[in-house]
Amino acid sequence: PRPCMYCRGRCIVGACWFLMCAASAADTPLRHNYYALRHGQSLANVEGVISSDPAVACNHHGLSETGLQQARRAAEAVCAEALSTGVDGVAIVSSDFKRAWQTAQAVHTAVIARGLSCVPASAVCAETLLRERSFGTLSGGPDSRYADVWVHDAVSATHTEFGSEPVTSVRERAWGVVERLEAELPGRCMVVLVAHGDVLQILQTRFACVDPRTHRSLPHLETATLRRLSLPLGAGAG
């Protein structure tokens, strides 16, 4: 790392986040409206454990009773937003981890019940690239250990302490979903990305055009909370 005169931080050589986002300003703005929706309270949240192993999380650690209620309330928030913004349809794209998938299914059920157009109409779109960040050897352990990874995140976006997935990897794969949806979805959709705490916190840094190491300084996304994701005025999707 070296001091950067542009972002006034310590960026990775050749990867100043400020310049990378500024360079996209002349590109076409996003066509769809994007929203982050963190899953409802999960059994892993209740147990206080980290659940980032797909072999476990795709089949276990679904929503608690509280989480199911939260998901239904979030679904109503999605419907209200879709109606108020006049979009052509709602695309629900979800991590295939059980807690996110159950949340997404609640949204899909509500959208159909309200007579809104769902894209595609038949199902939630499963997206493995929205899975929770891997926390390596900490997965299955107490969730108090998240902080041990985040302290390293604030210093390096490429670190792999405890075998955790680098922040840069999470940001690239999540943004790749946005780029693909921009190219594939018809019309102007409300796109609901149903995923997990770290994935959505980190994705927010790409929308905000800020250093990904600062993801923990952004407003915390609580469980089953819907949040609009917008690029800064004048920034494009490139």
Side-chain angles (χ1 to χ4, degrees):
R2 57 175 171 76
C4 176
M5 63 181 291
Y6 298 102
C7 67
R8 297 183 181 180
R10 294 182 61 81
C11 64
I12 302 167
V13 175
C16 171
W17 311 111
F18 178 85
L19 289 182
M20 288 172 68
C21 288
S24 71
D27 293 341
T28 304
L30 293 171
R31 182 160 49 92
H32 304 295
N33 297 343
Y34 290 87
Y35 295 79
L37 176 58
R38 186 181 171 194
H39 62 78
Q41 183 192 70
S42 70
L43 295 177
N45 295 143
V46 174
E47 296 169 14
V49 298
I50 296 173
S51 183
S52 68
D53 180 356
V56 175
C58 285
N59 301 295
H60 305 285
H61 293 148
L63 297 181
S64 66
E65 283 302 316
T66 296
L68 289 168
Q69 294 173 12
Q70 290 177 334
R72 287 191 285 269
R73 288 196 295 269
E76 289 305 313
V78 169
C79 292
E81 184 71 9
L83 288 168
S84 69
T85 53
V87 291
D88 299 322
V90 180
I92 307 162
V93 185
S94 176
S95 158
D96 61 347
F97 279 18
K98 189 172 183 178
R99 55 193 185 267
W101 190 251
Q102 289 180 319
T103 303
Q105 290 292 345
V107 175
H108 183 264
T109 298
V111 168
I112 296 300
R114 293 289 289 271
L116 296 168
S117 175
C118 202
V119 185
S122 59
V124 173
C125 297
E127 181 51 79
T128 59
L129 294 177
L130 292 180
R131 285 176 174 177
E132 177 61 295
R133 176 188 188 183
S134 173
F135 285 91
T137 59
L138 301 185
S139 190
D143 59 12
S144 59
R145 299 297 305 277
Y146 281 131
D148 295 340
V149 175
W150 294 336
V151 70
H152 290 286
D153 289 353
V155 177
S156 171
T158 58
H159 82 84
T160 56
E161 294 292 330
F162 313 106
S164 62
E165 182 181 7
V167 173
T168 49
S169 171
V170 177
R171 178 159 143 155
E172 287 166 7
R173 64 178 167 90
W175 184 250
V177 174
V178 173
E179 291 183 316
R180 179 172 57 77
L181 294 172
E182 277 294 293
E184 294 180 358
L185 289 177
R188 184 175 71 89
C189 294
M190 175 182 182
V191 181
V192 184
L193 303 173
V194 188
H196 309 269
D198 260 41
V199 173
L200 295 174
Q201 288 287 141
I202 293 169
L203 178 58
Q204 285 183 90
T205 68
R206 178 58 183 84
F207 274 91
C209 289
V210 298
D211 189 323
R213 292 171 301 173
T214 65
H215 69 93
R216 293 305 304 170
S217 69
L218 298 179
H220 183 61
L221 189 64
E222 300 290 347
T223 52
T225 297
L226 183 70
R227 178 176 295 168
R228 177 72 186 270
L229 301 173
S230 301
L231 291 169
L233 187 64

